[in-house]
Amino acid sequence: MVEPTTIMPDPSIKKVSASGPSTLSVHAGEARVKPGFSITDPIFAASTYTFPDTQAIVDFLEQGEPREEYGRYGNPGERVVEEKLAALDSGEASVLFASGMAAFVGLLMAHVNAGDEIVFFDECYHRSREFCRRHLSRFGVGFREVRTCDYDAMEAAITPKTKFIISESPTNPHLSVVDVDRFAEIGRRNGVLTLIDATLCTPYNLKPLEAGVDFVLHSATKYLGGHNDLLAGVVTGSAELLDPVRNLRGIMGGVNSPHNAYLLERGLKTLALRMERHNANGQAVAEFLAGHPRVERVLYPGLPDHPFHAIAKQTMRGFGGLVTFFLRDADWQQTAAVIDAVQIPRIGPSLGGVESLIEQPMVMSYWNYTPEERAEFRIADNMVRMACGIEDADDLIADLSAAFEVSE
Ligand SMILES: *Cc1c(COP(=O)(O)O)cnc(C)c1O
């Protein structure tokens, strides 16, 4: 006779209650007794889940007991990750998607209707804005954007049709930092939903829900996964507002496979530790760059001359691993020469993994744009974006220093 707990966790055994980000990233969402008494969660490699008899199906449909039915509606590993992420962001519920963009599209498709309008701060991720401008517009949803952190312009752009106001914080690659309290207050006062894409700060550095924002979204591909080895996305908020999002996900089908969900759960275990190092490396690299003669300007919220340093310091635990800088008197080829001379960071898009990455936004993300469009997005030819990983700051700095010399 096999004991039930060797097959399924006993839900009567309480989960850990804690509030620290390190404890939560290790334990939150996980059962204390797992199948096989394993310390780690199993990967249920299943597309479907069976019932012992017809009455069990009827009971499930009528009483909605917490169990799985079919993989497109969720899998057990995914639920663990959702609970962990909700706990980390102090939210009631999370819905996990196959990518950050799937989460963004799923959230908006669940909540906007023809005739609604969306207002964006203009430094939001270009694919998010593209989805609204090119695609939601086909369904009669209006779209406006205002200068990032211009709260008066945001307020002025809100009309009775406005359903959502959206920003990222910090923004990428300009690293503008939104005053989330003010942003949430504008939403509440005008009766519109608020969304912060907090991919760059993670719940370790800031929790927008605590400021009263309705939804927080992360590309879990970045810091949450943390190892440059998976794609995932998550939206967190109240259970009531996320219910339609979960339902639509079951129809659109952008779910995580059990294997991918496990990889994310494993990555999340070290979130707090990794963020401490990303924050420290970002700060050290930014300070080094700010003092280097070949660098014209550095954008990093942890530097006192950053336009949003005051609000960042007031609201964030740390400022992350992303550092943007501009080379002095350099055209795009001279800028590329510095990137090509760097030895430790790999050249590529993305951020938030243990390996440092470096790139020139003008080439990597805006090559097919006209110079006028690049100017509109404030993407300069001499702009470099470095996503500091968790290597030793001294090594990263020595590497950049040598690259400046070699490329001169
Ligand atoms: C990467 C990213 C996204 C998109 O996430 P994917 O996981 O690549 O779909 C959205 N927002 C921000 C801020 C990002 O960095």
Side-chain angles (χ1 to χ4, degrees):
M1 174 72 190
V2 180
E3 288 297 317
T5 50
T6 65
I7 302 166
M8 282 305 289
D10 178 351
S12 70
I13 297 172
K14 278 228 156 310
K15 292 181 178 170
V16 163
S17 71
S19 59
S22 298
T23 313
L24 290 175
S25 52
V26 176
H27 293 291
E30 296 184 37
R32 295 301 278 178
V33 180
K34 297 175 183 174
F37 303 103
S38 165
I39 188 165
T40 52
D41 275 302
I43 301 170
F44 290 105
S47 58
T48 190
Y49 301 85
T50 60
F51 296 84
D53 54 30
T54 302
Q55 188 56 46
I57 306 173
V58 173
D59 290 347
F60 167 68
L61 293 174
E62 288 197 346
Q63 282 139 40
E65 64 178 278
R67 54 152 289 161
E68 307 305 331
E69 169 195 358
Y70 179 63
R72 202 179 61 247
Y73 306 121
N75 62 69
E78 193 177 58
R79 283 185 206 277
V80 172
V81 176
E82 286 175 341
E83 261 193 62
K84 197 184 283 290
L85 288 167
L88 280 165
D89 251 321
S90 302
E92 251 174 41
S94 290
V95 184
L96 197 65
F97 285 86
S99 70
M101 282 312 298
F104 184 81
V105 170
L107 171 63
L108 290 190
M109 290 298 279
H111 278 285
V112 297
N113 297 302
D116 290 345
E117 285 177 359
I118 297 170
V119 187
F120 267 92
F121 274 155
D122 64 355
E123 288 171 10
C124 282
Y125 185 53
H126 64 123
R127 296 295 182 201
S128 309
R129 289 182 297 140
E130 185 179 344
F131 170 66
C132 297
R133 195 177 57 243
R134 290 238 187 109
H135 300 286
L136 276 185
S137 59
R138 296 189 288 115
F139 303 95
V141 176
F143 170 82
R144 294 157 187 253
E145 51 185 37
V146 299
R147 184 75 184 241
T148 300
C149 295
D150 186 339
Y151 302 96
D152 294 334
M154 174 65 86
E155 191 107 35
I158 293 174
T159 74
K161 292 179 173 176
T162 307
K163 183 69 176 278
F164 254 103
I165 59 175
I166 299 177
S167 185
E168 218 168 286
S169 189
T171 64
N172 173 14
H174 297 92
L175 300 168
S176 302
V177 176
V178 172
D179 178 343
V180 280
D181 292 295
R182 192 162 172 192
F183 189 79
E185 192 274 323
I186 292 174
R188 263 196 312 276
R189 190 156 32 76
N190 290 282
V192 302
L193 294 170
T194 43
L195 164 63
I196 294 285
D197 177 337
T199 298
L200 265 64
C201 54
T202 80
Y204 184 77
N205 283 336
L206 178 76
K207 298 188 194 184
L209 297 180
E210 289 185 347
V213 166
D214 295 304
F215 299 103
V216 60
L217 183 140
H218 301 279
S219 166
T221 312
K222 314 293 169 53
Y223 290 112
L224 301 183
H227 292 73
N228 289 322
D229 58 2
L230 64 86
L231 283 121
V234 64
V235 52
T236 302
S238 75
E240 188 190 350
L241 286 172
L242 285 176
D243 211 36
V245 178
R246 182 176 294 282
N247 285 334
L248 186 62
R249 186 192 66 176
I251 296 169
M252 299 206 315
V255 291
N256 273 265
S257 72
H259 288 84
N260 205 55
Y262 180 76
L263 213 49
L264 177 54
E265 181 180 342
R266 174 160 171 161
L268 279 167
K269 297 265 177 179
T270 54
L271 175 68
L273 266 180
R274 287 185 286 105
M275 288 313 296
E276 281 169 23
R277 178 60 70 86
H278 285 296
N279 288 342
N281 282 357
Q283 187 73 36
V285 165
E287 284 172 10
F288 160 75
L289 290 167
H292 198 282
R294 288 209 53 202
V295 176
E296 176 189 291
R297 192 156 65 99
V298 182
L299 291 176
Y300 187 71
L303 293 181
D305 68 348
H306 187 274
F308 300 102
H309 178 64
I311 191 71
K313 214 172 137 198
Q314 196 184 315
T315 55
M316 295 170 73
R317 191 198 295 261
F319 312 110
L322 207 71
V323 182
T324 299
F325 60 99
F326 302 83
L327 284 173
R328 193 181 300 283
D329 302 323
D331 59 19
W332 81 263
Q333 291 95 336
Q334 289 162 321
T335 307
V338 171
I339 289 178
D340 291 345
V342 162
Q343 301 283 315
I344 297 172
R346 311 303 303 269
I347 302 172
S350 202
L351 62 113
V354 292
E355 295 96 354
S356 289
L357 286 163
I358 194 163
E359 57 133 316
Q360 192 171 357
M362 177 258 187
V363 178
M364 186 64 75
S365 306
Y366 293 88
W367 186 253
N368 291 318
Y369 288 62
T370 63
E372 294 72 33
E373 285 168 330
R374 281 189 213 125
E376 190 193 319
F377 288 113
R378 298 193 284 284
I379 300 298
D381 291 1
N382 63 342
M383 186 185 226
V384 178
R385 194 189 83 169
M386 177 155 161
C388 297
I390 64 163
E391 301 94 338
D392 294 292
D394 288 349
D395 287 336
L396 294 175
I397 288 169
D399 187 26
L400 283 167
S401 180
F404 285 139
E405 273 181 38
V406 174
S407 62
E408 209 153 19

